[in-house]
Amino acid sequence: MLKLIFFSVVLFSSNAMALDSIEVFVANELLSEKGKQFFDIDKLKNSTRAKVTVYNVQALSNAEDHLSEGLPSNENQALHIVRQRMASKKYRSTLMEIENAVPSIMKLATYQIEKIPAFVFDNEYVVYGVTPLQALSEYQSFIKKGTSNDK
């Protein structure tokens, strides 16, 4: 079982109780083959009015694997195949996969995410290693404790 590590990363000060955004960082094993989450992201979306964005931290690696799949070891032959792929619709969709993967890598570095799954609440608080609804509960509990201490 993954350990829960809960900490706050202060990017800007905000004590608002309204939750505006939740960013979820996952890897392939936490996604279904069709790209839908096998765990309760939909329940998380339905439990809050926050904008929920899911990032697959392995998306770039997946796209690179897709591009290099089945290339021969002969450099000239591989170059010829790569040129054919670049002209195909299939390559264009892979290029889109790469473009779509860039934001997840940028966010991962910005937040200095150490483990997955990771849930970032309002660009400020990170919860690691639990399900989406457990992460929401941990965040709400933490905010309530902080708000009661402010009074």
Side-chain angles (χ1 to χ4, degrees), residues 38-133:
F38 85 89
F39 64 165
D40 50 6
I41 294 288
D42 290 334
K43 289 181 183 177
L44 177 66
K45 288 178 182 179
N46 294 332
S47 297
T48 179
R49 292 184 180 161
K51 177 185 177 198
V52 177
T53 307
V54 178
Y55 297 103
N56 180 353
V57 299
Q58 292 180 297
L60 183 59
S61 176
N62 294 343
E64 289 172 349
D65 290 347
H66 190 237
L67 280 176
S68 62
E69 185 176 38
L71 289 178
S73 59
N74 179 293
E75 190 175 327
N76 289 331
Q77 290 175 340
L79 183 59
H80 178 72
I81 292 170
V82 167
R83 286 183 179 151
Q84 288 178 332
R85 288 179 181 177
M86 290 175 71
S88 73
K89 287 182 181 180
K90 186 176 182 179
Y91 173 81
R92 282 178 254 160
S93 67
T94 303
L95 181 59
M96 292 299 294
E97 289 173 27
I98 291 170
E99 288 177 13
N100 291 335
V102 170
S104 66
I105 294 166
M106 298 294 287
K107 292 277 189 171
L108 198 67
T110 299
Y111 294 134
Q112 299 177 354
I113 299 297
E114 299 172 355
K115 296 179 183 183
I116 51 173
F119 304 86
V120 179
F121 295 89
D122 283 342
N123 305 314
E124 195 170 359
Y125 300 96
V126 180
V127 178
Y128 288 118
V130 296
T131 68
L133 292 179

